Amino acid sequence: MMDSLLITLMLIAVLGVGSQWIAWKFRLPAIVVMSIAGLLAGPILGLMNPEEAFGDLYRPFISIAVAIILFEGSLNLNFKEVKGLGKPVFRIVTLGAFLAWILGSLTAHYVAGLSLAVSFVIGGIFIVTGPTVILPLLRQSKLKPTPAKILKWEGIVVDPFGALLAVFAFEFILFLSSDGRDATALLFFLLAALFAVVLGIIFGKVTGWMFEAGHIPEYLKSPIVFAAVIACFIIADEVKHETGLLAVTAMGMTLANLGISSIKDMRHFKENISMLLISTVFILLTASLTTDTLMDVFRPEIIGYVLLMLFVVRPLSIFLSTINSGLSVQERTLIGWIAPRGIVALTVASYFATVLADEGFEGASLVTSLTFALVFSTVVVHGFSIGWVAKKLNLSSEGNPGVLIVGSNRFTNALAMVMRELKIPTVIVDSSWDRLNRARKAGVAHNHCEILSEQTEYTMDFTPYDYLLSATEYDSYNALVCSNLVPEFGRKNVYRLSRQNNSGDDLVDIDHTIGGIEVFSPGEGIEDLKFKLKSGYVLRKTMITERYSYEDYLQDRDKETVLLFTLKQSKQIEFFVDKREATAAPGDTIVSLSPPSKEFHKIKEKLEKKRSEKASNE
């Protein structure tokens, strides 16, 4: 084992972030990769033991990390959005969560052999479905909008309350099971919990007011949010242990519902700091496991508990809570199957394992093993089965990669119609009903919304679309759209039209700093493309074969042809870019904007052929 704390810190950071990258690269559940990396570095190979290396700092660091992760979840809890999600979501996050808590707790007691006190504490933790795990799964699996929206919001809404339910269960059961406690202790806890809520609300409102009033410069916003979350957590936790989690959740919920314009700055904070913490904390936890803990995972009672949670508790709680909710049997079956537990479940359970053990509760020593078994099993099983189950239940969106087009006009509508013919999932997004009228008449899928609006994140399902093309009449707007949606689609999948010479936007100096790849070859602005269509240009599909190669196509095409994209045989889309050398293999289809002369030549050739055939017959 390596004794140097610096080497341990290096290994934790490299393994954590490296695991996230490997998971992204190979489309694997990140938590699975992190689990394997942590177990290999810790109990299996013995390269490090973070709990020993960090000493007294280990638990405080875990606690603060849990607080920040919970703040991340609660920052997404906008009550206006929750109200608009309908009866199924409300039922699942209320009645479904309650049933999951009761059934899971009883299962832990009667099957895993834990005491009732320990069972009801971890039962509260296990109602969370891990938004840090489930959101990447939804993007990979391309579910239809209804189950995708429900699973997404269940993860976001229930995530903060799972730990809070565990906190309340712990305090109430501790009060009921301890001979030395009286009503004064319980009253103090309730007052401390109320204080934590008020403190969180005050921190949230003050932070939001300072953001909106301009009392904080842009470069200090993320650090101040970070410091405020830690301060809010520690102040409440010093008054009464465990109430710090309640305080940071209240702070996040307050900020989420203030409607302040700086909410995206805080999301920038959570996407960076929280991702780093999630990566490092999970490596910390798994690397600190002992071989005895790993061996406990294979105990019959723990295996039985995990199987019942997978095949009985989750499906039953969903089916009972969604009776007469308007969901189909297939949708209820899929939602009842998918419930991966993630970082919050493991970190909070690890925290309570120590607290419960200190209080002398029976079975507390099995909490970590039981939690790791459930987290690892659900992520692996659900992560690798969600796509297959969705297809079997006919709840998977069309498998072909889709394109989201921003801006409705003559060119984008024609492009969307060709994509529809090629069975490419396509939608046109615009904030103007007048501009969308053409798309509606053409039968093209469309969505009336402002793509940059915060509301769009909740009202529109992005999962079927792998590529973004911003093609409005405004160069600066196209650049802004691409820059904002790079995190959603990835830098290599975000495209915008070439700049227009007469648009009035001078983007030359900042072109290298903004998101979005200039698309189509040769590059032309939207006005040029619209003019070509108006002049008689047509969108042409050309199949590349063994006899008709890509080189043949390039020689035959008219020099005025604008190359748009290639639909690969694998159904991937490759847009033509001036600075990137394009290729096309047999089986690929090239879509181009061709001048009308070629169409006239083809018609002329057909007429001449018919005349010659008629003459020969005579």
Side-chain angles (χ1 to χ4, degrees):
M1 184 180 297
M2 299 179 183
D3 296 328
S4 172
L5 180 58
L6 288 177
I7 293 178
T8 301
L9 286 170
M10 178 200 71
L11 281 175
I12 291 170
V14 170
L15 291 175
V17 177
S19 297
Q20 292 279 1
W21 180 82
I22 290 173
W24 166 80
K25 185 70 175 177
F26 298 100
R27 292 181 174 270
L28 299 172
I31 200 170
V32 174
V33 183
M34 288 188 289
S35 299
I36 296 172
L39 292 175
L40 286 173
I44 295 177
L45 298 179
L47 297 178
M48 62 177 178
N49 187 329
E51 188 169 8
E52 291 183 1
F54 280 76
D56 293 338
L57 293 176
Y58 181 78
R59 290 297 168 187
F61 178 78
I62 296 292
S63 298
I64 291 174
V66 171
I68 293 172
I69 293 169
L70 279 178
F71 174 76
E72 172 196 358
S74 59
L75 195 60
N76 288 286
L77 191 57
N78 190 314
F79 290 122
K80 293 181 180 178
E81 307 302 334
V82 175
K83 291 178 182 177
L85 292 173
K87 187 187 295 184
V89 172
F90 180 76
R91 291 267 197 91
I92 289 172
V93 301
T94 52
L95 179 59
F98 177 77
L99 290 173
W101 177 44
I102 299 298
L103 294 174
S105 301
L106 294 176
T107 303
H109 177 64
Y110 291 106
V111 178
L114 305 183
S115 66
L116 276 174
V118 176
S119 298
F120 274 90
V121 171
I122 68 167
I125 298 170
F126 291 160
I127 70 171
V128 305
T129 56
T132 55
V133 180
I134 202 167
L135 295 183
L137 292 186
L138 294 178
R139 174 159 288 280
Q140 292 177 20
S141 59
K142 292 182 176 290
L143 298 184
K144 288 185 176 179
T146 298
K149 183 183 293 187
I150 291 174
L151 286 170
K152 170 186 173 182
W153 281 101
E154 181 196 10
I156 293 174
V157 173
V158 175
D159 180 55
F161 293 110
L164 298 182
L165 185 59
V167 172
F168 281 111
F170 172 75
E171 286 297 331
F172 277 107
I173 292 173
L174 193 65
F175 164 72
L176 294 174
S177 61
S178 298
D179 296 332
R181 294 203 171 196
D182 54 24
T184 305
L186 182 58
L187 180 62
F188 176 73
F189 167 73
L190 294 176
L191 290 175
L194 179 62
F195 168 76
V197 172
V198 174
L199 182 69
I201 293 173
I202 292 173
F203 264 78
K205 285 187 176 294
V206 170
T207 303
W209 171 76
M210 292 180 72
F211 272 43
E212 285 293 274
H215 295 303
I216 301 175
E218 292 297 321
Y219 71 93
L220 277 181
K221 284 185 176 180
S222 293
I224 283 180
V225 172
F226 178 73
V229 171
I230 295 176
C232 182
F233 169 75
I234 292 177
I235 292 172
D237 212 58
E238 285 296 309
V239 173
K240 178 65 181 176
H241 288 303
E242 295 91 45
T243 59
L245 301 177
L246 182 59
V248 295
T249 303
M251 177 181 173
M253 291 168 57
T254 302
L255 285 169
N257 289 275
L258 285 178
I260 61 177
S261 59
S262 296
I263 189 72
K264 291 199 173 183
D265 296 294
M266 284 170 272
R267 286 180 178 170
H268 177 73
F269 149 79
K270 72 165 188 172
E271 289 170 0
N272 290 276
I273 301 298
S274 296
M275 180 58 68
L276 182 61
L277 284 175
I278 286 169
S279 304
T280 55
V281 166
F282 204 83
I283 297 295
L284 276 170
L285 291 169
T286 52
S288 298
L289 295 175
T290 63
T291 52
D292 291 337
T293 300
L294 293 181
M295 295 305 297
D296 285 341
V297 169
F298 299 100
R299 293 174 60 164
E301 58 267 33
I302 291 183
I303 294 175
Y305 171 78
V306 171
L307 291 176
L308 285 174
M309 290 292 287
L310 283 170
F311 296 101
V312 178
V313 173
R314 169 67 178 185
L316 189 59
S317 62
I318 293 299
F319 266 84
L320 291 177
S321 63
T322 55
I323 294 174
N324 296 326
S325 64
L327 295 179
S328 66
V329 175
Q330 291 86 350
E331 290 168 339
R332 294 167 72 190
T333 302
L334 178 65
I335 296 168
W337 170 243
I338 302 301
R341 275 68 170 186
I343 298 292
V344 172
L346 190 59
T347 51
V348 176
S350 175
Y351 171 75
F352 274 109
T354 302
V355 176
L356 291 166
D358 292 341
E359 293 290 339
F361 285 104
E362 181 184 352
S365 59
L366 290 179
V367 168
T368 303
S369 300
L370 192 69
T371 306
F372 180 76
L374 184 63
V375 168
F376 191 80
S377 299
T378 55
V379 170
V380 171
V381 173
H382 296 154
F384 288 106
S385 68
I386 183 171
W388 180 83
V389 172
K391 288 179 182 178
K392 290 296 181 182
L393 296 175
N394 196 29
L395 293 174
S396 177
S397 297
E398 191 174 356
N400 297 348
V403 181
L404 188 153
I405 302 175
V406 180
S408 178
N409 50 61
R410 181 189 293 270
F411 171 74
T412 56
N413 282 283
L415 182 65
M417 292 173 67
V418 171
M419 288 181 170
R420 183 180 61 185
E421 294 171 6
L422 293 171
K423 301 188 183 304
I424 299 172
T426 310
V427 64
I428 294 179
V429 175
D430 203 303
S431 59
S432 168
W433 277 117
D434 186 54
R435 289 193 295 266
L436 281 173
N437 190 47
R438 186 187 295 269
R440 182 183 61 79
K441 289 181 178 178
V444 173
H446 57 278
N447 194 314
H448 177 251
C449 65
E450 170 51 61
I451 194 67
L452 295 177
S453 171
E454 217 174 281
Q455 304 293 326
T456 305
E457 295 182 26
Y458 309 107
T459 58
M460 183 175 178
D461 180 27
F462 287 93
T463 53
Y465 311 108
D466 297 80
Y467 306 94
L468 169 77
L469 172 63
S470 190
T472 72
E473 287 79 1
Y474 306 100
D475 294 337
S476 54
Y477 182 78
N478 292 338
L480 183 61
V481 167
C482 292
S483 296
N484 275 267
L485 294 179
V486 161
E488 187 73 32
F489 291 88
R491 194 168 297 276
K492 291 185 177 180
N493 294 333
V494 175
Y495 299 90
R496 56 186 168 89
L497 291 187
S498 298
R499 297 185 303 275
Q500 303 172 88
N501 295 328
N502 58 349
S503 68
D505 292 335
D506 186 8
L507 303 180
V508 177
D509 294 336
I510 62 170
D511 188 52
H512 66 286
T513 66
I514 58 179
I517 302 169
E518 284 197 358
V519 75
F520 304 149
S521 179
E524 298 193 39
I526 187 62
E527 295 299 335
D528 299 319
L529 295 170
K530 286 161 53 178
F531 178 77
K532 288 181 184 296
L533 279 173
K534 192 174 182 180
S535 302
Y537 276 61
V538 294
L539 287 168
R540 174 186 291 280
K541 304 185 293 288
T542 306
M543 172 76 77
I544 301 300
T545 64
E546 294 288 350
R547 293 186 177 183
Y548 190 69
S549 66
Y550 180 58
E551 289 72 21
D552 296 332
Y553 170 77
L554 292 179
Q555 290 178 0
D556 291 346
R557 68 175 178 136
D558 191 287
K559 65 178 181 178
E560 297 297 325
T561 298
V562 180
L563 302 177
L564 302 181
F565 67 89
T566 300
L567 178 62
K568 297 291 186 179
Q569 199 168 11
S570 62
K571 302 305 179 183
Q572 296 294 317
I573 298 172
E574 185 176 290
F575 287 97
F576 282 94
V577 178
D578 270 335
K579 297 179 181 179
R580 185 171 65 195
E581 184 177 350
T583 59
D588 296 346
T589 300
I590 297 176
V591 176
S592 62
L593 185 61
S594 303
S597 58
K598 191 158 190 174
E599 295 298 313
F600 295 152
H601 288 316
K602 286 190 68 177
I603 295 172
K604 187 176 180 181
E605 288 175 3
K606 288 181 180 179
L607 290 174
E608 290 178 352
K609 185 177 180 181
K610 287 182 179 180
R611 287 172 185 166
S612 61
E613 289 176 353
K614 185 177 180 181
S616 61
N617 291 334
E618 293 176 351

